[in-house]
Amino acid sequence: MRLFLLGLLAFFSQIIEAQNIITTEVHEPVDFVNPLIGSDSKPELSNGNTYPAIALPWGMNFWTPQTGKMGNGWIYSYAADKIRGFKQTHEPSPWMNDYGQFSIMPTTGKLVFNENDRASWFSHKSEIVNPYYYSVYLADYDVTTEITPTERAAYFRFTFPETKNAHIIIDAFDKGSYIKVIPKENKIIGYTTKNSGGVPLNFKNYFVIQFDERFETINTFNSTQLKTEQELTADHVGAVVGFKTKKGEIITAKVASSFISFEQAELNLKEIGSDSFETIKQKGRTAWNKSLSSFVTEGGTLAQNQTFYSCLYRTMLFPRKLYEYNKDGKPVHYSPYNGEILPGYMYTDTGFWDTFRALFPLLNLTRPDVNNEIQEGLVNAYKESGWLPEWGSPGLRNVMVGNNSASVVAEAYLKNQEKYKYDIETLYQALIHGANNEGPLKAVGRYGAGYYNSLGYVPYDVTINENAARTLEYAYDDFSIYQLAKALGKPNDEIELYKKRSFNYKNLFDPETKLMRGKNKDGKFMSPFNPFKWGDAFTEGNSWHYTWSVFHDINGLIELMGGENKFVIQLDKVFSESPIFDETYYGQVIHEIREMQIANMGQYAHGNQPIQHMIYLYDYAGEPSKTQYWVRETMNRMYKPTPDGYCGDEDNGQTSAWYVFSALGFYPVCPTCNEYVIGAPLFKKVTVNLENGKQLIINAPANSADNKYIDKAFLNGSEYEKNYFTHQDLINGAVIDFEMKNEPNKRRGDSKKDAPYSLSNE
């Protein structure tokens, strides 16, 4: 027994040591991606709230194994043990749920179609999950299912046992669907209308499925009964086609869909054409390697590389393409705003409240070509709806607060100027319209715009929820408009108006508590005040989280707090306070609260977006070593390459983009300031292959778990004392050298001249 225990100990020691082995240069980054990270989640506790997206970068259609019931936003749960089908999905979040969805499921034996009856046991041990390929063994049917995608189509391969009763079920789901079997062509067509909102009345997702074998049997079904008709329309319909198979026989199905028409779905199927399954699989692998290879890491552990490239994969999923190519090869789209078929680009499935912070800055740094298409799509969205979407899925949704399209639009132009030709004037007018009007939904335009524009804040006592959060975000959004107005040469009075509004954050600063606090219409602060109360005046957070939401004028916030020392003390309290909370506004402990509570980082709630930039604010107060410490702590503790690897909702690439930026050694605290605040690099070397053909090389050869502090920094060979890099520094191509030590250098970056941009310093 003693020898056995010693052997077991040695075995586990080898596993741990393997995780700590320093890797050399990464050549095939897709092999480090684990799409299952974040999938071990549930409504009560999010470890990411992700599902394995089998897709191409920014692809229109995703595919995923479906373990949850039809309509359940938690499509795939790592803890589940049965698969109900393989689902085409457009879900950006389980809270937002899905649209344009249908599923395919192979079975053998007794003919069944109900999702509970057809569900099969499976094991993760018999599951292969890559971004470009999925395979699983369905134990109840002795069938292996494989999927490989294109942007708008997918190739299925089913390996059956010997049986006279092999079946493939097509489920078009409920809430209105259509199915038609065309036996002469070995084809099934149909449409699904199931959605969770944000669609016009004529919304349909049309699909076509082309099999390589003729059908031995044909059935259709409604929600409760099998039918013999070959065409069916009802609330919930589907089809079951049967085959006779030999042991190991493979049946394939090519699947494509369109939001435009059946004819367009047939055009989309040409993305596969005559290619084999293996060819499409290799094309998918190549596409992911090409996109992921914009970053080449060296000198990290296996776990760090897995986490980094898995996060990078997540930043390349949303917002997704909602456009298709017509017979002339021109981009066209079904408008999720007015239901018309129109020319041009369209992207959707992102919430700007989350993604303006780091996801869009990452696009502007590394893939401005993609963001150019997104901006063109925003022009179309404004023309088709009269508003910019703050949360689009696929059309306007009434979720979250703020007017953060201002940051997304302004940043793209400020960082690229005239490199890309899209209608920036129309987008500017869209920002002005959104900044001064309430929209058709509370989350469109600015809810409380009248109060904000007259009082300089949204009052607490006028039945407008989360008013302090709205005020703080509107002030930053005004700053973004101010920056864009200057760049476009707008009239001086217009420029000055938005500059003045940018200081509105000051109206909510309470000098007694040194925190942001809701204020009543009469100018008095709301009372009683509990800084640990979630919600109420704030959005998915409390005053400790939102006080730092002054992205554009941290120096102004420092002055309000009484200087750098008091500011740093207040920052420190975020980590030293107990993780107590008041959940009475919600009437329950929401998952974001629970994630903060269990993280053991005090009031720091990295699992949600409002505070994710706060760690970098020490750089503004002359104590960058504290930023370096907490950045590394957060990367090490809050991210793992495991199914429970996130510390809260991943949220369309935002929480992943935080990790990608932080691993490089800097972060865009204020996206429309055109600066990146320095943290602590994670790898010994990273090469960023920029879209313009230039390279950004970040060297930190002495980097290690202990050496997490920057002793010296060099930009293009010259010693560099500032606590930030400019966008121009990076986009022109640069070599950054960090000398890392295990003790902080408290003299580096301690001067006011080294601090990043603040509006009050203009």
Side-chain angles (χ1 to χ4, degrees):
M1 176 61 75
R2 182 172 178 273
L3 287 174
F4 171 76
L5 291 175
L6 286 172
L8 195 62
L9 181 61
F11 172 72
F12 283 116
S13 295
Q14 289 173 358
I15 292 177
I16 294 169
E17 186 63 29
Q19 289 291 312
N20 293 324
I21 291 174
I22 301 298
T23 64
T24 56
E25 182 178 337
V26 173
H27 292 285
E28 298 284 337
V30 74
D31 292 332
F32 288 88
V33 175
N34 179 6
L36 294 177
I37 295 177
S39 63
D40 189 8
S41 298
K42 53 188 177 182
E44 299 82 9
L45 183 67
S46 174
N47 289 310
N49 267 337
T50 65
Y51 56 86
I54 314 306
L56 292 193
W58 302 286
M60 188 177 86
N61 298 329
F62 296 177
W63 287 88
T64 196
Q66 179 189 348
T67 64
K69 290 186 177 181
M70 180 175 61
N72 186 343
W74 280 261
I75 304 174
Y76 177 96
S77 172
Y78 190 81
D81 45 38
K82 288 188 177 181
I83 287 176
R84 301 168 184 271
F86 301 93
K87 181 181 177 184
Q88 186 187 94
T89 177
H90 302 90
E91 180 178 287
S93 158
W95 307 106
M96 193 64 69
N97 217 306
D98 211 347
Y99 66 93
Q101 54 201 293
F102 62 96
S103 73
I104 301 174
M105 180 68 176
T107 65
T108 56
K110 181 182 177 182
L111 195 160
V112 293
F113 62 91
N114 177 278
E115 66 173 352
N116 293 327
D117 296 335
R118 71 186 187 228
S120 171
W121 284 83
F122 82 105
S123 168
H124 297 300
K125 301 176 184 66
S126 300
E127 187 182 38
I128 301 170
V129 191
N130 293 312
Y132 60 90
Y133 171 74
Y134 179 85
S135 174
V136 70
Y137 176 68
L138 301 174
D140 287 345
Y141 304 119
D142 193 20
V143 174
T144 296
T145 297
E146 299 168 274
I147 311 169
T148 189
T150 68
E151 288 190 343
R152 297 166 188 85
Y155 212 140
F156 278 73
R157 187 161 68 183
F158 305 101
T159 303
F160 282 96
E162 183 173 357
T163 178
K164 296 180 180 180
N165 297 299
H167 303 108
I168 297 176
I169 303 161
I170 313 301
D171 192 335
F173 287 11
D174 62 2
K175 308 303 180 184
S177 49
Y178 164 82
I179 202 85
K180 181 180 180 180
V181 183
I182 309 173
K184 289 183 179 180
E185 300 180 42
N186 303 335
K187 184 184 291 184
I188 298 174
I189 65 171
Y191 65 71
T192 174
T193 67
K194 189 175 180 64
N195 66 85
S196 305
V199 299
L201 292 176
N202 67 345
F203 169 79
K204 291 184 176 69
N205 187 33
Y206 302 88
F207 59 83
V208 55
I209 306 172
Q210 180 68 63
F211 291 87
D212 68 336
E213 295 282 344
R214 70 178 184 86
F215 308 141
E216 292 284 340
T217 61
I218 297 171
N219 287 97
T220 54
F221 62 86
N222 61 22
S223 55
T224 58
Q225 293 180 316
L226 277 174
K227 302 285 186 178
T228 57
E229 298 98 313
Q230 293 184 358
E231 186 173 13
L232 203 60
T233 305
D235 176 74
H236 181 187
V237 302
V240 185
V241 290
F243 307 88
K244 294 178 181 177
T245 57
K246 298 177 182 177
K247 182 176 177 61
E249 184 171 345
I250 292 172
I251 294 176
T252 66
K254 300 174 182 178
V255 187
S257 69
S258 167
F259 295 107
I260 295 173
S261 65
F262 285 120
E263 293 77 16
Q264 183 64 47
E266 291 280 1
L267 284 176
N268 294 344
L269 195 61
K270 291 183 178 180
E271 290 184 351
I272 296 176
S274 59
D275 284 347
S276 68
F277 184 95
E278 290 300 326
T279 298
I280 294 298
K281 178 181 174 183
Q282 184 57 47
K283 284 183 176 181
R285 178 179 176 84
T286 299
W288 273 110
N289 270 329
K290 181 179 178 181
S291 288
L292 295 168
S293 290
S294 54
F295 295 83
V296 179
T297 62
E298 298 180 47
T301 66
L302 175 61
Q304 287 169 342
N305 276 290
Q306 289 172 328
T307 303
F308 180 85
Y309 283 106
S310 297
C311 283
L312 190 57
Y313 148 79
R314 289 281 167 194
T315 70
M316 295 177 176
L317 295 175
F318 301 103
R320 79 168 77 248
K321 295 173 180 176
L322 199 69
Y323 66 86
E324 307 170 50
Y325 290 103
N326 65 16
K327 59 183 175 56
D328 299 318
K330 302 292 186 182
V332 294
H333 64 273
Y334 166 82
S335 172
Y337 304 104
N338 62 23
E340 298 178 15
I341 310 304
L342 297 165
Y345 296 109
M346 181 64 64
Y347 281 74
T348 191
D349 290 330
T350 190
F352 292 157
W353 182 85
D354 303 289
T355 54
F356 86 85
R357 304 164 196 268
L359 187 278
F360 277 92
L362 189 64
L363 286 175
N364 284 315
L365 179 63
T366 62
R367 291 305 303 267
D369 56 324
V370 173
N371 202 17
N372 170 57
E373 286 190 2
I374 294 170
Q375 299 302 312
E376 290 192 40
L378 288 175
V379 173
N380 292 329
Y382 178 62
K383 290 178 177 178
E384 294 162 24
S385 72
W387 302 90
L388 289 176
E390 302 299 334
W391 227 120
S393 180
L396 302 176
R397 301 297 291 271
N398 199 25
V399 180
M400 307 314 291
V401 304
N403 181 215
N404 304 120
S405 56
S407 181
V408 171
V409 168
E411 185 201 4
Y413 184 80
L414 291 167
K415 288 180 176 174
N416 293 293
Q417 297 291 327
E418 299 298 325
K419 180 181 178 182
Y420 296 102
K421 303 295 183 183
Y422 55 86
D423 191 353
I424 186 60
E425 288 294 336
T426 291
L427 285 178
Y428 180 78
Q429 292 306 316
L431 297 189
I432 298 300
H433 176 63
N436 293 285
N437 294 280
E438 293 189 350
L441 304 170
K442 292 179 180 179
V444 177
R446 290 190 183 181
Y447 189 35
Y451 288 114
Y452 177 82
N453 290 351
S454 61
L455 298 175
Y457 62 95
V458 181
Y460 178 83
D461 58 346
V462 294
T463 67
I464 295 178
N465 66 315
E466 300 167 16
N467 38 81
R470 295 180 192 277
T471 298
L472 295 169
E473 295 196 26
Y474 294 167
Y476 166 66
D477 299 331
D478 282 333
F479 171 80
S480 298
I481 296 173
Y482 159 65
Q483 292 285 74
L484 182 58
K486 285 194 298 180
L488 293 176
K490 296 303 177 184
N492 191 61
D493 58 345
E494 194 162 296
I495 293 172
E496 289 302 313
L497 171 64
Y498 289 97
K499 180 179 181 180
K500 179 182 177 182
R501 287 187 188 176
S502 303
F503 291 107
N504 281 343
Y505 71 89
K506 294 184 178 183
N507 294 325
L508 296 190
F509 183 78
D510 174 17
E512 181 181 348
T513 62
K514 294 183 173 57
L515 294 169
M516 296 295 177
R517 182 173 176 179
K519 182 178 281 188
N520 292 329
K521 187 178 178 183
D522 64 5
K524 296 179 181 178
F525 284 114
M526 52 79 66
S527 185
F529 174 58
N530 180 358
F532 302 101
K533 186 175 184 179
W534 281 62
D536 198 19
F538 302 99
T539 302
E540 294 182 0
N542 61 33
S543 183
W544 280 109
H545 306 146
Y546 256 96
T547 290
W548 317 105
S549 292
V550 188
F551 313 97
H552 57 293
D553 194 22
I554 299 302
N555 185 64
L557 184 60
I558 289 172
E559 291 176 351
L560 288 175
M561 288 191 179
E564 292 180 349
N565 289 339
K566 291 182 179 179
F567 179 78
V568 168
I569 289 170
Q570 199 77 332
L571 286 172
D572 289 342
K573 284 182 181 178
V574 171
F575 299 106
S576 63
E577 288 281 358
S578 298
I580 60 175
F581 54 85
D582 176 349
E583 79 284 10
T584 55
Y585 174 78
Y586 299 108
Q588 60 179 330
V589 178
I590 62 173
H591 76 91
E592 290 90 350
I593 295 176
R594 188 69 71 206
E595 287 141 21
M596 179 199 75
Q597 181 193 32
I598 65 176
N600 192 28
M601 292 183 76
Q603 286 292 312
Y604 184 68
H606 190 79
N608 211 18
Q609 281 66 41
I611 202 171
Q612 286 180 350
H613 69 292
M614 167 260 166
I615 288 174
Y616 285 88
L617 301 190
Y618 290 103
D619 278 41
Y620 294 76
E623 294 217 30
S625 63
K626 288 190 174 182
T627 286
Q628 294 155 26
Y629 173 82
W630 285 113
V631 164
R632 187 67 67 86
E633 281 291 296
T634 303
M635 283 193 285
N636 288 345
R637 292 166 55 180
M638 297 293 104
Y639 293 81
K640 304 290 181 184
T642 55
D644 63 346
Y646 289 106
C647 54
D649 283 355
E650 195 280 327
D651 281 331
N652 310 123
Q654 165 56 30
T655 299
S656 291
W658 185 97
Y659 187 93
V660 172
F661 266 121
S662 295
L664 298 182
F666 47 81
Y667 184 80
V669 168
C670 175
T672 49
C673 295
N674 286 356
E675 292 180 355
Y676 304 86
V677 181
I678 296 173
L682 184 64
F683 296 97
K684 293 182 182 293
K685 182 179 180 181
V686 179
T687 301
V688 185
N689 296 304
L690 300 171
E691 186 262 343
N692 62 9
K694 298 181 180 180
Q695 286 188 326
L696 168 63
I697 299 173
I698 302 159
N699 294 310
N703 218 344
S704 68
D706 293 328
N707 293 349
K708 56 193 169 192
Y709 296 105
I710 298 172
D711 189 56
K712 290 182 180 180
F714 298 84
L715 177 61
N716 295 326
S718 299
E719 189 162 359
Y720 192 78
E721 289 289 333
K722 293 184 174 69
N723 291 328
Y724 64 92
F725 301 115
T726 69
H727 182 71
Q728 212 58 44
D729 287 337
L730 306 187
I731 206 70
N732 286 338
V735 177
I736 298 169
D737 294 290
F738 291 112
E739 292 185 3
M740 308 298 292
K741 294 290 179 65
N742 61 1
E743 294 290 338
N745 179 353
K746 296 191 176 182
R747 297 183 303 278
R748 191 199 165 276
D750 64 348
S751 171
K752 284 185 179 294
K753 64 179 175 58
D754 300 326
Y757 171 92
S758 286
L759 177 61
S760 60
N761 289 338
E762 281 193 356

